[in-house]
Amino acid sequence: MSNDHFEANRREALIKGVAGLVSLGAGAALLGGCASSAPTQTARRTDYGRRTTAVDRPRYRPTSPTYPSTPTGVIPRSAWAKGSPVPALMDTMLPVSRITVHHDGMDTFSSRGEGDAASRLEKIRQAHRSKNWGDIGYHYLVDPAGRVWEGRPLAWQGAHVANQNPGNLGICVMGNYEDQYPTDLQLETVERFVASQMRQYRVPVGRVFTHQELAATACPGRNLQPQLVAIRRPGGGLAVA
């Protein structure tokens, strides 16, 4: 074998060896990335209302935490929900210390039929579950006929204001109030029901919010926000609750 041929073979071997080391290094880097994502790391979407940390530490989660029963006149979730809450994806509720009002922000909704409201609630629940949340995010929802429906059981922290859900009671006015107006029945019920919850949990009017007052969002919509501001002013229905 000539010296030239020998040198060519040696260079080829060296090139292949370097390529192999580069490949091995890349593989090791990928392996290192996987190893750094240890099983204790949060690597999936979690409930909007869960406390999230760099490491998802085990927490005590009673399977049936207790909390005051559903208020009189509220339609229970058993009347509409086609699935149960998933406790492993939720945190237990802290004592209620504030209330936040929302709209659902989906397509406009004006039906006063009870069956239509039940169907919409289930649609919202499924949308929230598709995000890997433990259940529908709101505790109570008000339909265009002024009925109040139970959403997520109050035993569980809601999922309605990012990073601000502990002790936060979530109430949703069904519909999209960027594009429609709330009915008189809805407004009357929201005022009455929010006032009752303020009394129940001793929440002052200064601790009653709308979603956009806590986060960068249009919720509860330009046609509902002013109504909620008005009932909190001196002389309004919530100011004297």
Side-chain angles (χ1 to χ4, degrees):
M1 179 183 295
S2 69
N3 286 338
D4 289 344
H5 187 66
F6 175 82
E7 283 299 317
N9 286 344
R10 189 170 68 86
R11 283 197 300 271
E12 183 179 356
L14 286 172
I15 291 169
K16 287 180 178 179
V18 170
L21 287 172
V22 170
S23 176
L24 179 60
L30 289 173
L31 181 60
C34 292
S36 68
S37 301
T40 54
Q41 296 291 319
T42 302
R44 56 178 171 73
R45 289 178 295 173
T46 56
D47 188 283
Y48 196 35
R50 282 188 67 186
R51 296 186 299 274
T52 54
T53 58
V55 176
D56 191 13
R57 299 180 182 88
R59 291 188 293 272
Y60 170 66
R61 297 182 187 281
T63 55
S64 299
T66 58
Y67 217 82
S69 58
T70 304
T72 303
V74 173
I75 301 172
R77 65 174 286 123
S78 59
W80 65 268
K82 296 183 179 179
S84 299
V86 182
L89 296 177
M90 301 183 292
D91 283 329
T92 52
M93 183 65 163
L94 298 179
V96 174
S97 60
R98 58 179 168 172
I99 298 170
T100 303
V101 182
H102 305 255
H103 70 168
D104 66 41
M106 298 168 66
D107 53 314
T108 59
F109 180 66
S110 58
S111 173
R112 301 193 183 193
E114 189 167 341
D116 289 340
S119 296
R120 182 155 180 115
L121 284 161
E122 177 61 17
K123 183 178 179 181
I124 298 170
R125 187 191 72 82
Q126 290 183 11
H128 289 185
R129 284 290 294 117
S130 72
K131 299 177 181 181
N132 207 32
W133 296 0
D135 192 26
I136 190 170
Y138 314 109
H139 293 109
Y140 299 105
L141 300 96
V142 181
D143 71 20
R147 290 178 289 255
V148 182
W149 299 74
E150 180 188 24
R152 180 180 296 215
L154 197 53
W156 301 111
Q157 181 175 292
H160 53 99
V161 182
N163 303 316
Q164 300 192 56
N165 288 298
N168 193 350
L169 184 71
I171 299 174
C172 177
V173 185
M174 294 167 67
N176 186 329
Y177 298 102
E178 280 290 291
D179 301 325
Q180 66 181 107
Y181 289 88
T183 68
D184 289 342
L185 288 171
Q186 277 179 311
L187 293 174
E188 291 169 9
T189 295
V190 167
E191 183 174 331
R192 183 178 67 254
F193 185 71
V194 171
S196 73
Q197 298 305 291
M198 290 169 63
R199 291 190 295 269
Q200 171 77 28
Y201 301 108
R202 299 181 181 179
V203 176
V205 69
R207 298 281 291 172
V208 177
F209 304 96
T210 65
H211 192 180
Q212 67 179 243
E213 293 165 357
L214 298 176
T217 175
C219 177
R222 58 188 172 183
N223 298 319
L224 179 55
Q225 174 71 17
Q227 309 277 3
L228 298 171
V229 169
I231 61 176
R232 290 178 301 176
R233 289 182 181 140
L238 300 187
V240 296

